[in-house]
Amino acid sequence: MVVSSWKDEAACLNDMDERWLGSTVTVSMARLCWACPVRADCLFEALRREETSDPGVWGGTTEYDRRAIRKDSNALKAIWAELEEAAA
């Protein structure tokens, strides 16, 4: 039995290129992320990692976005609750 990862369900799976490693989100990237069935998992993964180990776009956010979320404990708590609810 093969257990698939949430990454196998990512909308960007077949669209990955150097754009996703940058610090900006294009309109087409944002559309793909927001419609992705595993966006919450992706963002959850990025937020639980160390700041320096998650460059690029994850869950529709940039490295800068995630740094701001981490610095604001109320925002982080709200995002965390939303992600846990979505993952349940």
Side-chain angles (χ1 to χ4, degrees):
M1 180 171 117
V2 176
V3 177
S4 66
S5 163
W6 64 264
K7 293 176 184 179
D8 295 336
E9 303 299 320
C12 65
L13 183 65
N14 295 318
D15 190 45
M16 291 300 287
D17 59 31
E18 65 279 349
R19 294 174 303 148
W20 295 92
L21 298 176
S23 60
T24 60
V25 179
T26 67
V27 172
S28 63
M29 291 164 67
R31 285 185 182 139
L32 196 60
C33 277
W34 285 100
C36 182
V38 295
R39 183 176 69 88
D41 297 299
C42 184
L43 182 55
F44 183 80
E45 175 77 16
L47 287 173
R48 73 178 189 82
R49 294 173 172 218
E50 295 295 321
E51 283 185 52
T52 58
S53 67
D54 63 346
V57 178
W58 288 73
T61 64
T62 65
E63 201 171 346
Y64 175 79
D65 297 329
R66 293 186 301 278
R67 194 173 303 122
I69 291 169
R70 286 184 186 103
K71 286 183 181 179
D72 183 341
S73 62
N74 289 330
L76 183 56
K77 287 176 188 175
I79 293 286
W80 211 260
E82 181 182 326
L83 292 173
E84 286 178 334
E85 183 178 312

